[in-house]
Amino acid sequence: MVVARDEKMVERLAFWGIPVSIGVIALKLLAWWVTGSVALLSDGLESLVNVAAAMIAYFVIRYAQRPADHDHQFGHHKAEYISAVLEGMLIVAAAMLIINEAWQGLVSPKLPEVPVLGLGINAVATAVNFVWARKLIKEGGRHRSPAMQADGQHIMSDVVTSAGVFVGLILAIWTGNPILDPVLAILVAGNIIWQGYKVISHSLGGLMDRALEPDEEAAVREAIAAHSGGALGVHDLKSRRAGAVAFIDFHLVVPAAMSVEEAHGICDRLEDAIKEIIPGATLAIHVEPESENPHGQKVDVEGTGK
């Protein structure tokens, strides 16, 4: 469920991502030091990127919350998409580091000694990451924060990575085949590259003014149909989203003899209804007389069937 964005809460969560990511990488590098596993080292290196990503997300979220000004009259919301694109690029960079380390393991395979303590430490780090990733993804979705969601998805891919590393180590020890350790690391890198691609692709969609989600647009149409009494039609419906803010505009056709005050009253009703279902929405309604030819997307209005 999308709610009105609590800017302070979003900023607070973004800030706490920094110490959490530092704590997780410390645990993972400790697990590598105990085990000497190249897979655990690759896992730790990927988490190093999490620290940089958390710092970028925090500062960009703070910037995106700045109010509109003369140079950015629609606000700074799109900055979060830029952060998400950067994070996707960092994810891919981490995958390159992993492949580099794994290649050394392929050239000179060595069966790692995996003490229970090392695996236990890595498991604790993974559990922390899992809980934090779920929190970021959930709150990022509720508050429409692309940067927070990208950070959560990145960390969740780290959780999958850690699980794969764990399985790889167990298989390498169980089969006595040391090459399984770096091979699993390379497979992990492939998964990370895929996650990075998805983050970048989704964020670029936001930068390119992607329209509202189908369910959101359907809700807007229903609100227009139910609260446009007195109007003759609605057309040229358009929408785009920039982080927490949705921009919606359309043309409202009214009788030529209708007063400005009456037309304004219909607009007020529509704005209130749409903002109730799309928190943070900004509307632009162009009122025109019935003599104008309709164009663009049409919406049925109350009592007209048009």
Side-chain angles (χ1 to χ4, degrees):
M1 175 183 178
V2 181
V3 299
R5 178 157 163 168
D6 183 342
E7 302 288 5
K8 289 298 182 182
M9 190 277 286
V10 171
E11 183 178 329
R12 187 163 55 248
L13 278 175
F15 170 78
W16 278 105
I18 299 173
V20 169
S21 59
I22 291 174
V24 167
I25 191 176
L27 287 172
K28 288 191 173 185
L29 291 180
L30 177 61
W32 163 70
W33 182 75
V34 170
T35 63
S37 164
V38 65
L40 286 182
L41 175 59
S42 68
D43 196 15
L45 288 174
E46 202 275 334
S47 294
L48 181 62
V49 179
N50 289 354
V51 178
M55 295 179 69
I56 291 173
Y58 171 66
F59 288 109
V60 169
I61 284 174
R62 288 194 62 184
Y63 178 81
Q65 292 177 0
R66 294 174 60 182
D69 54 31
H70 178 73
D71 294 325
H72 305 87
Q73 297 177 6
F74 288 93
H76 301 77
H77 314 287
K78 282 192 176 183
E80 288 202 38
Y81 290 116
I82 298 174
S83 169
V85 170
L86 289 174
E87 181 151 0
M89 295 171 65
L90 288 173
I91 292 173
V92 174
M96 296 299 102
L97 290 174
I98 291 173
I99 291 174
N100 180 66
E101 291 296 327
W103 177 254
Q104 303 303 319
L106 286 174
V107 173
S108 304
K110 178 182 177 182
L111 193 65
E113 296 181 4
V114 188
V116 174
L117 176 61
L119 291 178
I121 294 172
N122 199 60
V124 171
T126 300
V128 172
N129 259 350
F130 177 77
V131 172
W132 187 244
R134 286 286 300 272
K135 179 69 172 177
L136 291 180
I137 293 172
K138 178 182 177 181
E139 296 301 330
R142 290 179 72 237
H143 294 277
R144 290 290 183 183
S145 172
M148 184 177 292
Q149 281 190 296
D151 203 21
Q153 290 163 353
H154 179 190
I155 295 172
M156 188 58 77
S157 73
D158 193 20
V159 172
V160 175
T161 296
S162 299
V165 166
F166 183 85
V167 172
L169 288 174
I170 296 300
L171 287 176
I173 298 298
W174 183 44
T175 63
N177 188 351
I179 205 170
L180 288 177
D181 188 23
V183 166
L184 257 293
I186 291 175
L187 292 177
V188 161
N191 173 67
I192 293 172
I193 290 174
W194 172 242
Q195 296 300 325
Y197 165 77
K198 289 196 296 184
V199 169
I200 292 172
S201 176
H202 177 76
S203 304
L204 287 177
L207 288 172
M208 295 298 292
D209 287 338
R210 177 182 291 158
L212 296 179
E213 296 297 329
D215 60 329
E216 292 180 312
E217 182 172 319
V220 170
R221 286 175 171 271
E222 290 177 6
I224 291 174
H227 296 86
S228 54
L232 298 177
V234 168
H235 63 267
D236 202 20
L237 172 64
K238 297 177 182 177
S239 67
R240 65 184 176 90
R241 181 172 283 286
V245 179
F247 294 91
I248 303 166
D249 64 79
F250 54 85
H251 292 206
L252 181 73
V253 182
V254 299
M258 179 177 283
S259 69
V260 173
E261 183 178 4
E262 289 175 306
H264 186 265
I266 298 174
C267 291
D268 283 344
R269 287 204 313 270
L270 288 170
E271 287 187 9
D272 291 342
I274 293 173
K275 287 181 178 180
E276 185 174 344
I277 59 175
I278 308 289
T282 295
L283 280 83
I285 304 176
H286 177 68
V287 178
E288 56 188 27
E290 57 190 302
S291 58
E292 293 293 321
N293 294 322
H295 56 276
Q297 292 194 63
K298 299 180 183 178
V299 183
D300 290 338
V301 301
E302 187 179 62
T304 67
K306 295 180 180 181

